[in-house]
């Protein structure tokens, strides 16, 4: 028959393991909740900003946090950079229009209507983070680090570089890995 000291020791070890597991889960939830919103970190040239519900476009300002529905237009010979995390950047230039469709701690959805947008994802803001890029002809789902570029000019051209991989779902088609 086990002694009381062994039973108490076993219960204490079990409680310590359970508490450690809960603490790790709570830290993961805190880290996910602390993912910063997408923000405009750099502007060069004429860049316009439209907040959902606004009457008109205004000049874009550095450090503006973006909310769902916000749109940006990059004029001729201009460029912008959005920061999605400490090492995740979205850059656009020359006659580009993009919209933040949705953002949560583990998901970012952008719509590129025209122009060229680069996604420089050296790290993802959180484990399981997914970036979705909607274009007129296809949807691209990115869940790995890498450098990605979308060109939208009539036809859509999607280029993957530096170790990236994405899923492309063409309009009316089947998803494929690229």
């Amino acid at each position: 028959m086990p002694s009381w000291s062994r039973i108490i020791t076993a219960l204490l070890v079990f409680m310590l393991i359970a508490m450690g597991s809960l603490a790790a889960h709570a830290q993961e939830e805190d880290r996910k909740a602390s993912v910063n919103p997408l923000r405009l970190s750099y502007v060069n040239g004429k860049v316009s900003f439209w907040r959902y519900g606004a009457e008109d476009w205004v000049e874009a300002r550095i450090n503006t946090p973006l909310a769902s529905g916000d749109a940006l237009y990059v004029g001729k010979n201009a460029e912008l950079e959005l920061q999605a995390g400490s090492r995740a950047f979205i850059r656009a230039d020359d006659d580009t229009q993009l919209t933040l469709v949705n953002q949560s701690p583990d998901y970012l959805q952008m719509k590129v209507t025209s122009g060229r947008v680069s996604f420089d994802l050296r790290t993802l803001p959180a484990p399981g983070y997914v970036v979705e890029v909607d274009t007129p002809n296809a949807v691209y789902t990115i869940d790995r680090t890498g450098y990605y570029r979308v060109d939208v000019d009539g036809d859509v051209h999607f280029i993957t570089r530096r170790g990236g991989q994405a899923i492309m779902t063409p309009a009316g088609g089947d998803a494929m890995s690229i």
Side-chain angles (χ1 to χ4, degrees):
M1 177 159 212
S3 70
W4 284 108
S5 64
R6 284 187 179 189
I7 293 173
I8 291 172
T9 302
L11 285 173
L12 286 173
V13 168
F14 175 75
M15 286 177 32
L16 286 172
I17 291 171
M19 288 177 18
S21 173
L22 288 174
H25 180 70
Q27 284 178 342
E28 176 66 20
E29 290 299 316
D30 286 347
R31 195 183 52 64
K32 273 189 170 183
S34 70
V35 172
N36 292 328
L38 192 63
R39 74 175 182 89
L40 183 60
S41 59
Y42 174 76
V43 171
N44 181 22
K46 186 163 176 67
V47 177
S48 301
F49 171 76
W50 182 77
R51 173 130 300 157
Y52 179 76
E55 291 183 27
D56 206 358
W57 290 81
V58 297
E59 182 179 343
R61 294 182 182 207
I62 303 262
N63 288 325
T64 300
L66 300 182
S68 295
D70 288 352
L72 293 156
Y73 179 78
V74 184
K76 193 87 169 148
N77 299 319
E79 55 194 4
L80 69 73
E81 179 180 84
L82 303 171
Q83 190 169 1
S86 64
R87 297 185 63 210
F89 305 94
I90 301 167
R91 298 180 184 98
D93 61 14
D94 277 342
D95 295 326
T96 297
Q97 183 171 344
L98 65 153
T99 303
L100 174 59
V101 177
N102 194 2
Q103 183 178 21
S104 68
D106 58 355
Y107 179 73
L108 175 67
Q109 181 182 11
M110 300 291 299
K111 179 180 178 183
V112 180
T113 308
S114 63
R116 177 176 43 235
V117 180
S118 300
F119 295 82
D120 187 358
L121 307 174
R122 297 172 193 174
T123 60
L124 296 174
Y129 195 84
V130 174
V131 176
E132 180 179 303
V133 183
D134 301 341
T135 68
N137 298 328
V139 172
Y140 300 91
T141 306
I142 303 166
D143 62 359
R144 295 185 186 178
T145 60
Y147 180 87
Y148 306 87
R149 190 176 87 201
V150 177
D151 292 304
V152 178
D153 184 19
D155 292 331
V156 175
H157 304 280
F158 187 83
I159 301 163
T160 304
R161 291 190 344 189
R162 266 198 339 219
Q165 182 178 349
I167 303 295
M168 178 188 79
T169 307
D174 294 328
M176 64 182 85
S177 181
I178 56 171

